């Protein structure tokens, strides 16, 4: 509702700390009351360390500052609850841990495929070396050095590996272009992840570091998996190979099967591990897709909006008006408001205290996730009620505060008890 002027353009790959920002607005243009509230703990601070300052020192200073703020602004409702502050390296928090683990699993799978391919190529080199035994024997007989022959065979192996590396870079370049054309929020149905932000697909690129890594990997694999065939090929039986003795050639081939069998066993073992892991991942994905989330997502639409031009005292009436006007649409059956869409991640979290039990030691309070919802939200999501009652329109500010808990929380924090009617406090 306020006119703005564009004052600059940032790089295309930069999407803010969240990975989804298209516009960046001056922090100080917000409502002064919002910035001066002692309980506005919803901001992330970013600092670049001076030369010589270690991350551990910065973390210790931030913890100390958090204690100072907690002493200056103690919790007015829960005296045992004490806020604090922590610092983390940006590179360690900008990617959600679940995404990081998934990428590491994917990297392991790619590594297994690479080892299988290398074992296969090494086996082909052994077969090729068996057919060149007479040629190698002639070269050794006329004075060629074994080291020189090994270098020649390794050169052939590295050249073949480099050709494969060039082909892989071409495939990688095409794959990066394909990823950049995808929108994770729609193709992966990801709205928000847990870290500070997710790496956008558009930021994935082939840079000099990627080329250097690919070059080093191709050279190393060419040398390592070409070494065994090269060493075996340069240990021929000169007399038998020069005479082309069939019996010696047969025995030599049988002896040569030792290395080839070993590589074949390694290749099959890696393939079995890879197939077993892939099968388990597919089975896990099937089970995840079959998990009952506790609500019915069929024919449910979500809409996100932010209100900036309305005073805080006017928000309840505005929310009521939004719900009433949406519910009046003939094709809509139920409308509910919430601060966090289901399964979107990164929602509110706080501590839960049972008021009928002694307060736990500081730092050991159980943590729970919290959603703020309107009464009809449960009907819109078709969430069943096991016992107790739903929220009503009379559950408002100034009345007795009430909460609903899910069955998991009920079993965890009230084992063998009925939680309905029990007094609790939440740290919000």
């Amino acid at each position: 509702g306020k006119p703005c002027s564009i004052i600059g353009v940032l790089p295309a790959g930069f999407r803010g700390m969240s990975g989804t920002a298209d516009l960046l607005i001056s922090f100080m243009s917000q409502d002064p009351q919002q910035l001066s509230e002692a309980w506005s703990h919803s901001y992330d601070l970013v600092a670049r360390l001076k030369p010589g300052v270690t991350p551990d020192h910065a973390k210790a200073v931030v913890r100390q500052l958090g204690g100072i703020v907690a002493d200056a602004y103690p919790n007015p409702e829960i005296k045992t609850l004490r806020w604090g502050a922590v610092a983390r390296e940006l590179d360690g928090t900008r990617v959600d841990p679940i995404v990081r683990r998934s990428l590491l699993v994917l990297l392991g799978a790619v590594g297994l495929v690479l080892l299988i391919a290398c074992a296969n190529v090494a086996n082909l080199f052994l077969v090729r070396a068996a057919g060149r035994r007479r040629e190698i024997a002639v070269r050794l007989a006329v004075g060629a050095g074994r080291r020189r022959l090994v270098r020649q065979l390794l050169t052939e192996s590295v050249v073949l590996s480099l050709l494969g590396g060039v082909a892989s870079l071409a495939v990688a370049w095409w794959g990066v272009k394909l990823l950049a054309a995808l929108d994770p929020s729609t193709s992966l149905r990801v709205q928000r992840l847990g870290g500070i932000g997710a790496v956008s697909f558009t930021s994935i690129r082939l840079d000099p570091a990627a080329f250097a890594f690919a070059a080093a990997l191709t050279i190393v694999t060419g040398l390592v998996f070409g070494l065994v065939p090269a060493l075996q090929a340069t240990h021929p039986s000169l007399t038998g190979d020069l005479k082309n003795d069939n019996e010696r050639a047969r025995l030599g081939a049988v002896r040569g099967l030792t290395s080839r069998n070993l590589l074949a066993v390694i290749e099959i073992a890696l393939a079995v591990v890879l197939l077993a892991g892939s099968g388990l991942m597919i089975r896990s994905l099937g089970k995840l897709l079959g998990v009952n989330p506790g609500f019915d997502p069929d024919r449910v639409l979500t809409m996100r909006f932010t209100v900036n031009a309305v005073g805080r005292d006017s928000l309840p009436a505005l929310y009521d008006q939004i719900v009433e006007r949406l519910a009046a649409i003939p094709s809509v059956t139920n409308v509910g408001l919430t601060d966090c869409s289901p399964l979107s991640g990164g929602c509110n979290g706080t501590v839960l205290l049972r008021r009928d039990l002694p307060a736990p030691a500081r730092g050991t309070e159980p943590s729970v996730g919290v959603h703020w919802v309107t009464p009809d939200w449960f009907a819109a999501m078709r969430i069943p009620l096991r016992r107790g009652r739903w929220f009503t329109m009379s559950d408002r500010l100034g009345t007795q505060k009430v909460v609903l808990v899910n069955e998991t929380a009920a079993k965890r924090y009230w084992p063998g008890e009925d939680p309905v009617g029990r007094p609790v406090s939440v740290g919000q």
Side-chain angles (χ1 to χ4, degrees):
K2 298 179 181 179
C4 300
S5 297
I6 299 175
I7 60 172
V9 179
L10 299 175
F14 180 71
R15 302 292 302 277
M17 298 292 289
S18 64
T20 59
D22 294 313
L23 300 174
L24 283 87
I25 304 175
S26 173
F27 189 90
M28 301 308 295
S29 64
Q30 297 190 52
D31 183 2
Q33 181 182 357
Q34 175 76 9
L35 299 178
S36 62
E37 288 184 346
W39 293 99
S40 291
H41 291 175
S42 58
Y43 296 104
D44 292 315
L45 279 69
V46 182
R48 186 177 297 278
L49 300 182
K50 293 181 179 180
V53 179
T54 64
D56 291 336
H57 176 67
K59 293 176 183 178
V61 172
V62 169
R63 283 195 297 268
Q64 182 181 3
L65 291 175
I68 295 175
V69 174
D71 293 336
Y73 301 97
N75 194 308
E77 297 181 358
I78 308 175
K79 303 302 181 183
T80 58
L81 181 61
R82 180 181 174 86
W83 290 105
V86 295
R88 298 172 294 177
E89 289 92 344
L90 180 60
D91 280 342
T93 57
R94 64 194 298 259
V95 178
D96 189 276
I98 297 177
V99 176
R100 186 183 299 275
R101 287 194 295 270
S102 301
L103 293 178
L104 290 176
V105 171
L106 182 61
L107 180 63
V110 172
L112 288 178
V113 174
L114 175 63
L115 290 177
I116 292 173
C118 290
N120 196 5
V121 173
N123 239 335
L124 294 177
F125 270 119
L126 285 174
V127 174
R128 186 167 180 265
R132 299 177 62 183
R133 294 181 67 86
R134 182 176 177 82
E135 173 196 343
I136 299 297
V138 170
R139 293 190 179 192
L140 290 173
V142 297
R146 180 168 173 264
R147 183 176 300 178
R148 183 177 180 180
L149 291 177
V150 170
R151 286 201 304 267
Q152 176 189 341
L153 296 175
L154 285 180
T155 300
E156 296 176 1
S157 174
V158 170
V159 169
L160 181 63
S161 181
L162 288 175
L163 291 175
V166 172
S168 69
L169 286 176
V171 175
W173 179 85
W174 178 82
V176 168
K177 294 295 183 181
L178 179 62
L179 281 177
L182 298 177
D183 182 5
S185 62
T186 57
S187 59
L188 300 181
R189 298 184 180 180
V190 174
Q191 295 182 5
R192 187 177 176 187
L193 296 171
I196 291 181
V199 176
S200 172
F201 282 0
T202 57
S203 63
I204 302 176
R205 62 190 184 276
L206 293 178
D207 54 12
F211 285 105
F213 176 78
L217 189 62
T218 54
I219 293 174
V220 170
T221 53
L223 291 174
V224 171
F225 287 90
L227 186 60
V228 173
L231 292 177
Q232 183 171 329
T234 54
H235 273 94
S237 173
L238 292 180
T239 304
D241 289 332
L242 288 174
K243 292 181 177 180
N244 199 16
D245 190 334
N246 292 332
E247 180 65 20
R248 286 184 174 274
R250 186 183 65 81
L251 293 176
V254 172
R255 287 195 299 269
L257 286 175
T258 302
S259 300
R260 286 154 58 183
N261 283 340
L262 178 61
L263 288 173
V265 168
I266 294 175
E267 184 178 354
I268 294 173
L270 292 174
V272 169
V273 172
L274 186 62
L275 287 174
S278 301
L280 289 174
M281 292 183 68
I282 294 174
R283 184 179 179 184
S284 299
L285 179 61
K287 287 190 173 183
L288 286 174
L289 294 176
V291 168
N292 180 12
F295 60 88
D296 183 7
D298 187 39
R299 304 183 67 81
V300 175
L301 300 181
T302 61
M303 177 182 67
R304 181 175 301 183
F305 64 91
T306 302
V307 179
N308 290 325
V310 178
R312 181 164 300 188
D313 295 337
S314 303
L315 282 177
L318 175 64
Y319 291 151
D320 289 341
Q321 185 180 7
I322 291 175
V323 171
E324 291 174 1
R325 295 181 65 172
L326 289 176
I329 300 175
S331 58
V332 175
T333 58
N334 301 98
V335 178
L337 294 182
T338 179
D339 66 328
C340 190
S341 300
L343 303 182
S344 60
C347 302
N348 271 323
T350 185
V351 296
L352 176 74
L353 298 177
R354 290 188 55 176
R355 307 308 294 174
D356 54 347
L357 296 178
R362 191 171 66 189
T364 63
E365 304 94 340
S367 60
V368 294
V370 177
H371 283 202
W372 299 78
V373 299
T374 56
D376 269 356
W377 183 81
F378 300 98
M381 301 299 297
R382 294 184 179 177
I383 298 176
L385 180 67
R386 299 305 187 195
R387 53 187 179 272
R389 71 171 179 87
W390 293 118
F391 290 142
T392 65
M393 294 304 294
S394 61
D395 293 317
R396 290 177 172 270
L397 189 65
T399 64
Q400 175 65 41
K401 298 179 181 179
V402 292
V403 297
L404 283 155
V405 299
N406 62 17
E407 286 186 307
T408 301
K411 294 177 182 178
R412 180 179 302 170
Y413 303 120
W414 290 271
E417 306 177 53
D418 185 1
V420 177
R422 300 299 178 92
V424 296
S425 290
V426 293
Q428 290 189 344

